[in-house]
Amino acid sequence: MTFIQCEKVVKRYDDLISVDHLSFKVDKYEIFGLLGPNGAGKSSAIKMICGLLKMDQGQIYVDGISVNSNPIEVKKRLGLVPQELAIYENLSARENILFFGKLYGLRGKDLKNKVNEALQFVGLTDRQNERPEKFSGGMKRRLNIACAIVHQPKLIIMDEPTVGIDPQSRNHILESVKKLNEMGSTIIYTSHYMEEIESICTRVGIIDSGRLIALGSVQELKDQNKQDEKITLFVDHIPSEAIFELDVHPQIKEVTATEQTIEIFINSSQTYLQDILFILSKHDVKIQTLQREEPNLESLFLSLTGRTLRD
Amino acid sequence: MKNIFTIAGYELIRFFRMRSILLIMLGLPLLLILILGTALSGVFQPSGENEKLEKVKVGVLNKDQGVFNQTISDFLFSPPIHSYVSVNLIKTREELFEKYESREIDYGIVVPADFSDSVISARLTSWEFIEGESIEKNLVARTIFESFISQVNEMQARVFVLGPETLQESLFTDQNLNLQYSNHVKIGSLQKNEGSTSAIQYYAVTMLVMFLLFSGMAAAISLAEEKEAFTLLRLNSIPLHSNTIIIGKLLGVGIFSLIQAMVIISFSTFVYGVDWGDDYITLFGVIILTIVSSTSIGVILTSLLQSSKSIIAIYQALIFVMTFLSGGMIPNLGDFLNSLGKFSINYWSSNTLIRLMIESDSTMIIRNMGVIGSTSLVLALTAGLIYWKVGYHE
Ligand SMILES: Nc1ncnc2c1ncn2[C@@H]1O[C@H](COP(=O)(O)OP(=O)(O)OP(=O)(O)O)[C@@H](O)[C@H]1O
Ligand SMILES: [Mg+2]
């Protein structure tokens, strides 16, 4: 059952098209990932879904309701975790959640219970009376999430909820996204980390320069890119002539060399691994280890755009 | 509706937790009144323990040759001054510094040559104080001589409220020319004399009005910070009716300013015996309308400027200019600047408050209220229009 429907949505800032005829659907109870590099238009797309940004063209429906004509009804169904921390530094964690809970119309016992649940959920019960000034980056991120889920919305939209935090907090957040989904929420999750998207999302849209360049389940996207593999070689030294020869090989898409590692993206490594080894031995390069990686969303992005996700 | 109160309530909570805001809005006016009050009410009355104070040797270089020349020397050698200070008249600046170096004097004062002229034409003026090594002696000297300057300022204030004619009438009567110097280090008279008010009454009024204007700045800062902290983004993602956010926030600021006004009024009443008159309703009205004008300016500025830093800078300049124009409303600067002063919010609010204190003619008060009311209406409508056009979002 379709819960969110974007139809040819366009957003322009003067000359710049930040969202370019974006169309996709999200079913109920999905975790839908939007993957794209910085400036791809993820936040712009999300703000339009939430009714925070006027679109120049197109339509968005949430639960069958048009965002353009009835933003308030749409807003009632969602909780937004903004990309930036959106909390009050001089209110305690509990007060922050209470404030937003009240504005969502919660009152009395219901409010109290749901605030407690939200605190519990993000693991801030022990620190609830402290102000975020004293919190670590990860704790602030968790509070940022708690403020958006206190009213237990049907749709939770998270815009890069893990930027700038330690791996432990990140795992905690990823786990809680899954849990929220199991508890019945539909989730839209943006990131420029393909690992995050791969590990939690049921379906993924990859966007670049405002355009959707791939759409499907994680497995579908990997299959679409079957022949692309990544080979990583750890070597004793790297002569530039060797890199040059690798680069001009017709089946090798990209070569990057740093100190002692060479990364090679290639079509069907079985067939051409010999070529690589031949070139390297010709230049007296000793190979210490060799890794072959299955295709992933990163390599898909590379083969679609010729660039990596992170610059 | 409930949401408006929720937003206003939390706005208040956050205001009371912001140390800088608390300091500017509550601490500073109280401190200023305290300082001015101390300077005027003469903590150094010739009684008991204070007499043990060693006299301060003050070197005075009086360059002024104007109408106040005599007044100044009368003041310097008046008995109450004499019990704290021994005055040493000095001819040149070099001599002053020589005596200062050789410790013949503890404290130096230079009366500028244009002092009398400045007073009469109501320009800001002061004496140059050269502080010595003893903190205590500096304090004594400073307090005494600043209280003299305050008295002079009071006369300027009288010009400000009752018009330049009073200056001509009263300044040159003997009694006023002598500036009642014998009172300087005693309690400044706080009671209502017919038709006139003491300096502390004026300061209480100008402080109140000036700091009510800061409430507009607080509103502007708060509106801008909500954007900067991205909490506005979150608020806008919540199903609230349009205008709820801004009305709630402005209501919060308004309530905070009312509390501020109440604190300033009660503090000045109970600690300094300032008499705000009996017409509390009009007093309340002036305060409310001043807050409305000031927050409207805040809203207008927020829509024009992006960062809270530039808002603070512009707003402070604005308050300064308005305070200057209203206080420096001067006969000698010509009719043009005179009438310009009347365009400031300070002028009308202060003028009305002082008229309430001295229980002036009610037709004048009603006329003033009309001006204040229409000003705030126009400002509020402008703010509303701009808000309607630009909206309040990130
Ligand atoms: N208010 C604005 N005015 C002008 N240009 C903007 C504005 N907001 C976004 N843009 C531009 O639109 C494009 C898309 O921005 P957006 O924030 O949606 O990207 P993003 O995918 O969320 O990037 P990031 O990963 O950095 O958050 C960018 O080129 C950005 O510079
Ligand atoms: Mg973004």
Side-chain angles (χ1 to χ4, degrees), chain A residues 75 85-86 88 90 95 144, chain B residues 17 226 229-230 234 236 240:
Chain A
K75 287 177 187 177
L85 289 170
Y88 295 105
N90 50 7
E95 287 167 332
N144 202 33
Chain B
R17 288 185 187 171
E226 199 91 52
F230 296 99
R234 194 192 279 287
N236 275 330
L240 300 170

Side-chain angles (χ1 to χ4, degrees), chain B residues 135-147:
Chain B
I135 294 171
E136 193 180 280
K137 285 178 177 172
N138 287 342
L139 189 66
V140 171
R142 217 183 162 108
T143 309
I144 287 174
F145 294 107
E146 278 187 346
S147 74

Side-chain angles (χ1 to χ4, degrees), chain B residues 45-56:
Chain B
Q45 285 179 56
S47 67
E49 63 209 67
N50 280 345
E51 262 167 353
K52 285 175 221 138
L53 276 174
E54 206 186 318
K55 278 196 185 181
V56 187

Side-chain angles (χ1 to χ4, degrees), chain B residues 13-138:
Chain B
I13 294 178
R14 288 189 299 114
F15 265 133
F16 276 104
R17 288 185 187 171
M18 268 183 247
R19 235 174 261 149
S20 56
I21 294 265
L22 269 191
L23 215 63
I24 293 179
M25 305 271 288
L26 289 174
L28 201 57
L30 294 184
L31 186 73
L32 280 176
I33 295 177
L34 188 78
I35 291 172
L36 292 169
T38 321
L40 289 169
S41 62
V43 280
F44 297 99
Q45 285 179 56
S47 67
E49 63 209 67
N50 280 345
E51 262 167 353
K52 285 175 221 138
L53 276 174
E54 206 186 318
K55 278 196 185 181
V56 187
K57 287 172 275 178
V58 179
V60 179
L61 170 60
N62 185 1
K63 297 204 259 181
D64 185 63
Q65 297 299 328
V67 281
F68 280 104
N69 193 14
Q70 187 57 38
T71 316
I72 292 168
S73 39
D74 284 354
F75 167 72
L76 291 175
F77 295 102
S78 62
I81 302 296
H82 229 68
S83 43
Y84 302 102
V85 170
S86 64
V87 174
N88 196 337
L89 285 178
I90 284 168
K91 299 262 158 14
T92 65
R93 196 172 266 273
E94 290 71 33
E95 189 190 343
L96 184 73
F97 281 102
E98 260 168 39
K99 295 221 158 125
Y100 180 79
E101 288 291 316
S102 63
R103 308 263 158 99
E104 274 176 68
I105 53 174
D106 304 314
Y107 197 87
I109 288 177
V110 180
V111 180
D114 63 350
F115 180 69
S116 294
D117 287 348
S118 301
V119 172
I120 291 171
S121 54
R123 276 197 301 274
L124 278 179
T125 182
S126 188
W127 292 358
E128 189 183 334
F129 295 116
I130 297 149
E131 308 240 296
E133 279 175 354
S134 154
I135 294 171
E136 193 180 280
K137 285 178 177 172
N138 287 342

Side-chain angles (χ1 to χ4, degrees), chain B residues 224-239:
Chain B
E225 276 185 351
E226 199 91 52
K227 287 186 194 179
E228 283 165 9
F230 296 99
T231 41
L232 183 59
L233 184 84
R234 194 192 279 287
L235 286 176
N236 275 330
S237 78
I238 296 175

Side-chain angles (χ1 to χ4, degrees), chain A residues 62-126:
Chain A
V62 176
D63 208 5
I65 303 158
S66 157
V67 176
N68 284 333
S69 48
N70 204 346
I72 296 252
E73 276 305 311
V74 169
K75 287 177 187 177
K76 279 185 189 164
R77 287 161 172 73
L78 62 82
L80 169 69
V81 181
Q83 177 172 0
E84 292 84 8
L85 289 170
I87 48 181
Y88 295 105
E89 293 276 325
N90 50 7
L91 293 181
S92 72
R94 187 183 183 82
E95 287 167 332
N96 265 291
I97 305 174
L98 262 176
F99 175 61
F100 292 112
K102 274 189 191 168
L103 292 182
Y104 272 110
L106 304 176
R107 291 288 182 274
K109 254 215 156 83
D110 186 33
L111 172 66
K112 212 173 142 189
N113 290 339
K114 285 186 171 152
V115 169
N116 288 338
E117 280 171 40
L119 280 164
Q120 180 91 41
F121 188 81
V122 297
L124 285 177
T125 308
D126 294 342

Side-chain angles (χ1 to χ4, degrees), chain A residues 13 16 18 37-44 83 160 192:
Chain A
Y13 292 108
L16 185 125
S18 83
N38 290 123
K42 305 182 294 291
S43 299
S44 305
Q83 177 172 0
E160 306 199 30
H192 57 255

